[in-house]
Amino acid sequence: MTKIAIWKFTSCDGCQLSLLDLEEDLLEIAKHFEISYFLEASSKRADPPYDISLVEGSITTEEAKRKIMDIRAQSKYLVTIGACATAGGIQALRNFASLQSFKQRVYPRPEVIDVLPTSLPISHYVRVDYELQGCPINKLQLLQLLYSYSRDLRPSFSSGSVCMECKRRAIPCVMVASKTLCLGPVTHGGCGAICPSFGRGCYGCYGPKETPNSASLCQWAKDELDFDPLALDHAFKKFYCIAEGFKLSHES
């Protein structure tokens, strides 16, 4: 059977829960995979090596830097899941400011907080075989990914944008219909365009798509929606704030 290990670093646990959220598919998974390490679900542990390691969360401490290198050495395939593991997550907002300033404002004893000055993705420290984007990830994509790697195949998902998912579902464009800012044209698809289907703009929680033209979207929002630069900056500084495709937008 294919041995799976699920690991957590700095994150909210939401992407790990996507695996548990597979519900009836878990019975089929149990026939083909051995869950060797998954502290979110069980205290039972099996010794390495592991065939597939799923890693959630960003690296924010020296201890985490050492641990992810051990996990890489123990794993045939290492897959990062979610915004934190693939791009540093919301906690990477601190990369833009002084860590010391945050510690003094938040904690009564800032001297006991021992963390790195930045929150960075797993790929900054070790080789990653695949990055599954989303906040949280799409559980059906996770299922497809597990079966692909169990057969030594690289999973294949659409590289299109949320904007394309809207068009396929015939969802009216919220930017045109209601003058609402939407990051759908530059955001990686995979969510099924949930927010636009309820009349809201895309928040960019699946991160930048391949070759996003975020600068053009920002200019259009300024010209057509009368968005001020600070509001646009806040729109991109969320789930994937340090990802190159979104980082460029608030530097333009």
Side-chain angles (χ1 to χ4, degrees), residues 84-100:
C84 301
T86 60
I90 290 177
Q91 59 270 28
L93 284 168
R94 75 180 192 216
N95 297 14
F96 299 97
S98 163
L99 174 63
Q100 193 60 29

Side-chain angles (χ1 to χ4, degrees), residues 22-118:
L22 284 167
E23 299 173 340
E24 64 267 23
D25 287 319
L26 288 172
L27 297 176
E28 193 65 27
I29 287 175
K31 297 178 183 176
H32 303 281
F33 300 92
E34 175 189 341
I35 308 295
S36 301
Y37 185 96
F38 190 11
L39 295 184
E40 182 81 12
S42 172
S43 58
K44 182 181 176 183
R45 306 180 187 190
D47 293 333
Y50 308 110
D51 296 304
I52 306 171
S53 274
L54 302 175
V55 181
E56 176 194 90
S58 63
I59 301 298
T60 58
T61 66
E62 288 289 346
E63 181 185 1
K65 286 168 62 176
R66 292 189 291 272
K67 184 176 179 181
I68 191 60
M69 291 176 187
D70 289 341
I71 292 170
R72 176 68 270 185
Q74 297 166 357
S75 310
K76 181 179 180 181
Y77 296 114
L78 190 153
V79 176
T80 52
I81 57 174
C84 301
T86 60
I90 290 177
Q91 59 270 28
L93 284 168
R94 75 180 192 216
N95 297 14
F96 299 97
S98 163
L99 174 63
Q100 193 60 29
S101 173
F102 280 140
K103 288 164 63 174
Q104 290 177 339
R105 288 187 181 190
V106 175
Y107 300 99
R109 294 181 57 198
E111 68 276 9
V112 303
I113 306 300
D114 184 17
V115 296
L116 299 171
T118 56

Side-chain angles (χ1 to χ4, degrees), residues 4 6 15-22 29 33 52 54-55 79-81 132 137-149 155 157:
I4 306 174
I6 298 94
C15 291
Q16 293 183 74
L17 293 176
S18 295
L19 182 60
L20 296 176
D21 197 32
L22 284 167
I29 287 175
F33 300 92
I52 306 171
L54 302 175
V55 181
V79 176
T80 52
I81 57 174
L132 188 61
I137 55 172
N138 181 314
K139 64 180 183 180
L140 298 180
Q141 287 187 340
L142 176 61
L143 189 62
Q144 182 181 335
L145 182 148
L146 290 175
Y147 280 112
S148 295
Y149 274 122
F157 300 116

Side-chain angles (χ1 to χ4, degrees), residues 152-195:
D152 293 320
L153 300 173
R154 182 178 172 81
S156 177
F157 300 116
S158 169
S159 60
S161 66
V162 172
C163 203
M164 294 302 298
E165 294 185 333
C166 273
K167 288 178 170 58
R168 292 193 188 101
R169 294 184 57 191
I171 298 171
C173 177
V174 296
M175 288 201 293
V176 174
S178 58
K179 303 294 183 184
T180 300
L181 178 64
C182 178
L183 302 189
V186 296
T187 298
H188 197 288
C191 65
I194 295 174
C195 290

Side-chain angles (χ1 to χ4, degrees), residues 232-248:
L232 285 169
D233 185 48
H234 289 173
F236 280 95
K237 276 185 175 175
K238 289 179 181 169
F239 313 93
Y240 281 78
C241 57
I242 62 169
E244 285 302 318
F246 283 2
K247 184 181 174 185
L248 290 174

